[in-house]
Amino acid sequence: MSEVALFPGSFDPITRGHLRLIERAAALFPRLIVVVSYNPAKGGFLPPEQRVALARASLAHLPTVVVARSERELLVAFARRVGARVVVRGLRDAADLR
């Protein structure tokens, strides 16, 4: 499998739950891009630069995982730009299934 996969999120901040899902996805795909999305209209707890830095530090043990930042870009546009055809997401509760 030569797929590039994306794991998008705000990661404000990155959590152990995120890390667990990213580690599992990294085992399935030869290249995983963790996309730290930022919407200036929403704000957030941490500035985007710190979110990216924390994600990179937390994922440094995974050589096939890359952390990228996306701002004001639709996920589909980002996916096309990097050649990704798979999006990995986790579910928090039943509301995520709607």
Side-chain angles (χ1 to χ4, degrees):
M1 182 185 308
S2 63
E3 292 283 338
V4 175
L6 301 180
F7 189 93
S10 60
F11 304 106
D12 190 22
I14 194 164
T15 65
R16 288 185 182 186
H18 293 133
L19 295 175
R20 184 167 179 236
L21 289 170
I22 292 166
E23 287 171 346
R24 291 174 71 186
L28 296 173
F29 301 98
R31 183 164 181 237
L32 179 66
I33 302 173
V34 174
V35 185
V36 179
S37 299
Y38 178 69
N39 182 345
K42 289 185 178 179
F45 180 68
L46 298 173
E49 300 81 15
Q50 190 171 5
R51 297 178 199 185
V52 170
L54 287 172
R56 286 186 176 142
S58 299
L59 300 169
H61 67 287
L62 300 170
T64 62
V65 175
V66 176
V67 177
R69 180 176 163 188
S70 177
E71 186 172 326
R72 295 184 181 155
E73 182 178 23
L74 293 175
L75 183 60
V76 69
F78 185 93
R80 284 184 183 138
R81 185 163 52 84
V82 299
R85 298 176 50 96
V86 176
V87 176
V88 177
R89 292 293 298 162
L91 299 175
R92 294 171 289 210
D93 57 32
D96 284 346
L97 295 173
R98 292 184 212 152

